[in-house]
């Protein structure tokens, strides 16, 4: 008579924390005697929450300078090689600055600004100051300044209709009902 081995699944033996009954783990993880959960959930200990630093780190400041240098260089239609020639530095140095791998010193920033024919402040300005400059430039137009003063008085529906009408006029389309 041949014998066959039957594999028995290994079952976990647990002790109930409430009634101390030692038992196999049930499919629903509840105690057979007291019907309470076998797994006691650990309550997370609340501790202090780290507040993010609102000041940009050196790396973030370097990336802002890198983006400014790249944008201004491209706006002036200069290659990295041409800018490097104006600054009398290797082209790879300009590449490292634009990719955020090198942060220029104050002296290099001055030479870079001179080569780009801009003020040093334009290289190191942050997002907020750029936005403020853009808003100031937009509001310099009297028509746009008048529209901007009226927009807060409109409710969301009228504002949406107004913006849609402006978009249609600007694109040359005419809306049909």
């Amino acid at each position: 008579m041949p014998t066959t081995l039957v594999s028995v699944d290994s079952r976990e033996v647990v002790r109930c924390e409430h009634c101390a009954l030692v038992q196999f783990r049930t499919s629903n993880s509840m105690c057979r005697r007291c019907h309470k959960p076998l797994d006691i959930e650990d309550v997370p200990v609340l501790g202090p929450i780290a507040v993010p630093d609102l000041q940009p780190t050196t790396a973030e400041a370097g990336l802002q300078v890198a983006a400014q240098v790249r944008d201004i260089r491209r706006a002036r239609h200069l290659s990295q090689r041409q800018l490097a020639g104006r600054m009398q530095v290797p082209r790879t140095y300009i590449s490292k600055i634009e990719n955020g791998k090198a942060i220029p010193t104050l002296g290099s920033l001055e030479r870079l600004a001179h080569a780009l024919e801009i003020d040093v402040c334009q290289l190191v300005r942050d997002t907020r100051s750029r936005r403020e400059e853009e808003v100031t430039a937009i509001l310099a137009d009297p028509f746009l300044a008048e529209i901007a003063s009226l927009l807060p008085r409109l409710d969301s529906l009228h504002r949406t209709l107004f913006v849609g009408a402006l978009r249609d006029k600007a694109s040359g389309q005419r809306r049909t009902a």
Side-chain angles (χ1 to χ4, degrees):
M1 177 161 155
T3 57
T4 329
L5 293 176
V6 178
S7 67
V8 177
D9 294 334
S10 61
R11 294 174 37 183
E12 184 181 2
V13 177
V14 292
R15 178 186 303 269
C16 178
E17 296 290 326
H18 303 283
C19 67
L21 176 68
V22 177
Q23 58 191 317
F24 290 116
R25 180 176 297 277
T26 59
S27 60
N28 62 1
S29 291
M30 302 294 273
C31 177
R32 286 182 167 77
R33 181 185 294 158
C34 65
H35 304 289
K36 293 190 178 179
L38 291 171
D39 298 324
I40 297 176
E41 298 176 10
D42 293 332
V43 178
V45 178
L46 297 178
I49 299 172
V51 177
D53 188 14
L54 298 178
Q55 297 296 325
T57 63
T58 305
E60 291 171 355
L63 292 177
Q64 288 177 352
V65 169
Q68 284 295 103
V69 169
R70 184 182 306 110
D71 293 343
I72 294 170
R73 177 184 62 80
R74 288 179 179 168
R76 301 262 193 271
H77 303 291
L78 293 172
S79 66
Q80 288 181 348
R81 189 173 308 283
Q82 290 170 326
L83 181 59
R86 287 183 180 187
M87 284 184 64
Q88 298 176 347
V89 296
R91 185 206 56 81
T92 55
Y93 182 62
I94 302 298
S95 175
K96 287 178 183 178
I97 290 174
E98 288 185 0
N99 291 320
K101 298 190 189 291
I103 299 174
T105 62
L106 287 175
S108 294
L109 278 175
E110 287 177 353
R111 290 183 17 215
L112 191 56
H114 181 71
L116 291 171
E117 300 170 350
I118 59 170
D119 190 30
V120 177
C121 297
Q122 286 184 291
L123 290 176
V124 293
R125 64 186 179 162
D126 62 348
T127 307
R128 186 183 336 168
S129 63
R130 274 186 279 168
R131 185 173 176 354
E132 289 173 359
E133 287 177 12
E134 290 171 358
V135 168
T136 304
I138 289 171
L139 295 179
D141 182 350
F143 176 70
L144 295 177
E146 184 179 354
I147 289 174
S149 67
L150 297 174
L151 279 177
R153 297 181 194 164
L154 297 177
D155 62 358
S156 61
L157 173 65
H158 288 102
R159 188 177 298 139
T160 304
L161 292 172
F162 178 73
V163 170
L166 280 177
R167 190 176 297 121
D168 292 345
K169 283 287 188 187
S171 66
Q173 297 176 357
R174 187 162 177 194
R175 209 176 254 186
T176 58

